[in-house]
Amino acid sequence: MTTALWHLPQKPLILASQSQARQALLKQAGISYTALPASIDEELIRQSAQAEGASADEIAVLLAELKGQKIASSHPEAMVIASDQLLVCEDQIYGKPESLASAKSQLMALSGKRHTLVTAVMLFDNGKRIWHHIARPEVTFHHLTETEIDQYLAHIQEDALASPGSYFLEGAGIHLFADLFGDYYAILGLPLLALLPQLKLHGLTYGLQV
């Protein structure tokens, strides 16, 4: 049986991520790929970079590059996609929460406020970075009660630990939002509107693949 897919005919395409949201975006776009998680200590790297005065943009790019380089160096025959996302609210940078208690604190801090999701994406080819892009979509939360936050966390449970800000736009997370501005896909963690033209420039083709 054959399936019509967008694919790279000359080389494999690897997503350097264990994020279910990023994987789902590529799958829904009909793109053939393999996901390989790149294990790095994101929190330690983020804190160290912040201590040295790095901006959110610089940190997101650094984390995406470290993830991508880890996979690209061991798979130089492949094209590798890497991405990272940080949340910035009132000049404070938020990464992924370490616990549900931390997740609750993040959501309470974001309640009623507008924040930016700094999302970096990059491509590697032949083991080297060839392109990167930074998207900065903005999100505004409703004023949330503690009960609403507790109910949301009870619903998503440990999944809250996988996202900066402790939430997801998908599913029940939509109840948190008052307004969205910018690339919807970047909010979900992978700026497809910028990424897809670059993939096509480097050979992404629609066709039958056995």
Side-chain angles (χ1 to χ4, degrees):
M1 181 178 179
T2 58
T3 304
L5 291 171
W6 288 94
H7 64 280
L8 290 174
Q10 302 300 325
K11 60 182 62 181
L13 179 64
I14 298 176
L15 175 66
S17 177
Q18 61 184 356
S19 164
Q20 294 300 311
R22 292 188 180 107
Q23 292 180 37
L25 287 175
L26 288 181
K27 183 177 180 180
Q28 290 162 9
I31 297 173
S32 178
Y33 74 97
T34 300
L36 292 178
S39 180
I40 63 172
D41 192 333
E42 294 185 40
E43 185 61 21
L44 179 62
I45 295 167
R46 182 179 68 82
Q47 290 182 359
S48 177
Q50 276 189 263
E52 294 178 2
S55 67
D57 285 17
E58 292 169 333
I59 297 171
V61 167
L62 172 64
L63 289 169
E65 181 155 25
L66 290 173
K67 293 176 188 177
Q69 191 60 61
K70 187 164 189 177
I71 300 301
S73 62
S74 58
H75 296 274
E77 78 288 355
M79 181 164 286
V80 177
I81 303 169
S83 188
D84 193 79
Q85 185 178 72
L86 297 174
L87 187 156
V88 180
C89 184
E90 297 181 336
D91 296 324
Q92 182 171 348
I93 298 174
Y94 293 81
K96 298 171 184 174
E98 298 179 349
S99 65
L100 288 177
S102 177
K104 180 175 180 177
S105 295
Q106 286 192 355
L107 289 170
M108 291 182 70
L110 298 174
S111 175
K113 297 175 184 175
R114 191 176 185 91
H115 60 265
T116 302
L117 293 165
V118 179
T119 310
V121 62
M122 56 186 61
L123 285 176
F124 293 77
D125 195 18
N126 296 319
K128 298 180 180 180
R129 189 177 96 178
I130 60 170
W131 173 83
H132 84 276
H133 171 79
I134 301 174
R136 302 176 187 83
E138 296 184 345
V139 170
T140 303
F141 268 17
H142 288 296
H143 288 279
L144 304 172
T145 66
E146 186 172 356
T147 298
E148 288 172 322
I149 291 172
D150 286 340
Q151 289 173 342
Y152 179 64
L153 290 175
H155 180 71
I156 66 169
Q157 300 184 30
E158 298 296 323
D159 286 345
L161 308 185
S163 173
S166 315
Y167 67 83
F168 297 91
L169 177 61
E170 311 94 307
I174 194 62
H175 296 284
L176 306 177
F177 299 99
D179 189 29
L180 308 172
F181 178 78
D183 181 355
Y184 169 79
Y185 300 102
I187 293 174
L188 299 184
L190 191 64
L192 283 181
L193 297 180
L195 175 62
L196 290 181
Q198 288 297 317
L199 288 175
K200 291 173 183 176
L201 182 65
H202 289 89
L204 188 71
T205 302
Y206 187 80
L208 296 178
Q209 188 179 43
V210 177

